[in-house]
Amino acid sequence: MSFESLMNDIVKNQWDVLGLEVYEKGRLIHSYGDTTEHIYDIYSATKSIVSVAVGIVYDRGLIDFDQSIMEYLPQDKVEKMSVEQKKTFQQLTVCRFLTMSVDGLPFRPEGESYLDYCLSCKIPNPQEKAFHYSNISTYLICVALTEILGENLGKFIEREIFCPLQITKFSYENCPEGYFYGASKMKLSVHDLSKIGLLMMNGGVYDGKRIISKEYVQMATAVQQMNREGGYGFFFWKYRDGFSIHGKWKQRCYCLPEKEWMVTHLAHIEKDTDELLESIEKNLLE
């Protein structure tokens, strides 16, 4: 392992890495940049935190992944849907949204009512399962969880996830109607995003406290839907023989449970390249 060589690559290539942490056997062994002082946009890495919330609700027996998403949405909104849209959405299970396998959705919700927009989206082939990455999938899961819990999902995450993980610095946004957005728009420090990875690496336990079941962790981080990147779970990506958390512009947490190895970094790299990951793997894995 050559952490120094990785740092040299970051400096030499002028990669805008805000902060980076390396863990081995659950212990922080290396860090670079700002990992604790400031919070930064984690973009779609927010989705993986929503997945943890899904796990808590699942463990309480409050959600059935094989049920239609319609069963968990606000009934006043459902009643206003056209007959055709009701028939379409009735075929779409919770699992389809967790695995991004609803083909045809726009990338993000728009307008004054995100929910109305989402429920009016035309799905050409609702029974066809194909990987299709959309913020709408996560947003509808957040709405469903809010309805199930009877409280703002952001507040639930604060109490049930952030509090036991000792995450005290964060920000997030709700949609215009007040639902926790969940697909992005959250800020965390590098170190606190690492806690999400460590929780999942440790089978749902953090600092001796169980947050979610091992059963859910295995489901969420397994390949539930194939894609060109190697597979997708419940808002987690496949990475080698482990899994990863992804956000736009290289917000990442790479987890290899069998090797007991994890790397988290937040960055601002708009270039679509794997150069940083290749350097991490070359210098820390090989």
Side-chain angles (χ1 to χ4, degrees):
M1 179 179 290
S2 178
F3 186 70
E4 183 179 352
S5 294
L6 171 61
M7 297 303 97
N8 289 339
D9 280 353
I10 291 173
V11 173
K12 178 182 68 177
N13 292 289
Q14 297 182 320
W15 295 328
D16 191 3
V17 176
L18 303 168
L20 180 148
E21 292 187 335
V22 181
Y23 288 79
E24 195 171 62
K25 300 184 186 302
R27 184 173 64 90
L28 178 64
I29 60 170
H30 295 294
S31 65
Y32 165 85
D34 176 15
T35 61
T36 59
E37 186 174 353
H38 295 98
I39 59 175
Y40 300 100
D41 280 308
I42 63 171
Y43 300 102
S44 287
T46 309
K47 295 178 173 72
S48 296
I49 296 169
V50 171
S51 183
V52 176
V54 171
I56 296 173
V57 174
Y58 171 80
D59 291 339
R60 294 178 183 180
L62 300 176
I63 193 168
D64 182 344
F65 297 154
D66 293 325
Q67 281 284 346
S68 168
I69 192 73
M70 294 268 281
E71 301 298 320
Y72 303 107
L73 298 179
Q75 288 308 296
D76 61 327
K77 295 288 188 179
V78 170
E79 289 171 5
K80 294 178 181 177
M81 296 171 68
S82 69
V83 173
E84 181 184 355
Q85 284 299 93
K86 285 180 183 178
K87 183 178 179 181
T88 295
F89 273 79
Q90 195 65 45
Q91 300 176 65
L92 302 174
T93 64
V94 171
C95 189
R96 295 282 300 281
F97 291 94
L98 286 172
T99 57
M100 297 284 182
S101 57
V102 180
D103 197 11
L105 289 173
F107 178 65
R108 61 171 63 89
E110 300 176 0
E112 295 182 1
S113 172
Y114 284 8
L115 190 49
D116 286 345
Y117 178 89
C118 294
L119 296 181
S120 67
C121 291
K122 303 300 180 184
I123 313 297
N125 300 299
Q127 292 183 331
E128 183 179 338
K129 295 181 181 180
F131 185 75
H132 181 80
Y133 193 83
S134 170
N135 285 350
I136 287 175
S137 286
T138 313
Y139 173 70
L140 286 177
I141 291 293
C142 291
V143 172
L145 294 184
T146 300
E147 293 297 304
I148 291 168
L149 295 166
E151 69 170 309
N152 179 274
L153 183 59
K155 295 299 181 183
F156 178 83
I157 288 171
E158 288 184 43
R159 184 180 68 248
E160 302 293 336
I161 302 174
F162 288 173
C163 185
L165 267 58
Q166 300 170 28
I167 296 175
T168 58
K169 294 191 295 185
F170 54 84
S171 70
Y172 58 81
E173 293 184 21
N174 296 322
C175 77
E177 290 174 290
Y179 290 103
F180 176 74
Y181 182 54
S184 62
K185 301 185 179 181
M186 179 178 279
K187 293 183 179 181
L188 288 179
S189 69
V190 175
H191 188 63
D192 286 340
L193 182 59
S194 288
K195 294 176 181 179
I196 303 298
L198 291 171
L199 170 69
M200 303 302 284
M201 285 265 288
N202 203 34
V205 174
Y206 184 84
D207 197 24
K209 178 180 175 62
R210 179 161 294 284
I211 309 299
I212 48 177
S213 66
K214 186 175 182 179
E215 175 197 3
Y216 179 78
V217 171
Q218 290 174 335
M219 286 192 296
T221 59
V223 174
Q224 300 286 350
Q225 174 67 44
M226 280 304 301
N227 59 18
R228 65 183 183 183
E229 290 81 11
Y232 197 74
F234 294 163
F235 301 149
F236 285 90
W237 297 79
K238 180 67 175 174
Y239 172 65
R240 290 197 169 196
D241 59 358
F243 58 92
S244 63
I245 298 169
H246 280 208
K248 182 174 70 171
W249 297 336
K250 302 300 184 289
Q251 324 312 315
R252 297 287 190 272
C253 180
Y254 299 106
C255 303
L256 296 178
E258 291 187 10
K259 289 184 172 64
E260 296 184 281
W261 177 94
M262 188 181 88
V263 172
T264 307
H265 60 73
L266 298 182
H268 189 96
I269 302 174
E270 297 185 32
K271 184 180 177 183
D272 186 15
T273 173
D274 288 327
E275 291 175 338
L276 176 56
L277 174 58
E278 289 166 0
S279 179
I280 289 171
E281 292 178 333
K282 177 184 70 176
N283 289 302
L284 301 185
L285 276 179
E286 294 179 359

